[in-house]
Amino acid sequence: LAKDFIPVIEKEIAPLYEGKEITSFREMADLVDKAISPSTGKIYHTAIRYGVTQACLDAVAKSQSKLMAQVVAKGWTKRRKD
């Protein structure tokens, strides 16, 4: 899988994030979760979406000096109140 997916990540997904500010986990994850691959016309494979969203979670956590679990918990609490 990796040999097939790395070029997709480099060519199609990395540009979605380049130059963007680190915002909320949900906002950053949505960039890949809701994206359609221009090469296939479909959503990205689950493994790609999972890996990229985990990288997003890590980036948000580090930018806020929090644990990844704290970022998720904050997002979950906010979502339940909505």
Side-chain angles (χ1 to χ4, degrees):
L1 286 174
K3 70 177 179 155
D4 296 327
F5 290 163
I6 289 173
V8 173
I9 293 168
E10 291 174 341
K11 292 177 187 165
E12 297 181 19
I13 296 175
L16 298 174
Y17 293 94
E18 290 173 350
K20 298 264 195 282
E21 285 194 37
I22 297 172
T23 56
S24 70
F25 169 57
R26 187 177 300 157
E27 185 177 328
M28 293 188 71
D30 279 350
L31 290 176
V32 71
D33 276 341
K34 296 180 178 177
I36 302 296
S37 170
S39 60
T40 65
K42 299 177 181 179
I43 63 170
Y44 290 102
H45 189 281
T46 303
I48 291 176
R49 289 183 287 124
Y50 177 80
V52 173
T53 58
Q54 288 300 295
C56 292
L57 178 57
D58 183 56
V60 171
K62 287 178 178 171
S63 75
Q64 297 176 1
S65 300
K66 295 182 178 179
L67 298 173
M68 290 168 50
Q70 290 172 306
V71 173
V72 171
K74 181 180 177 186
W76 179 255
T77 303
K78 183 178 179 183
R79 189 175 191 184
R80 290 190 64 190
K81 289 180 181 177
D82 291 345

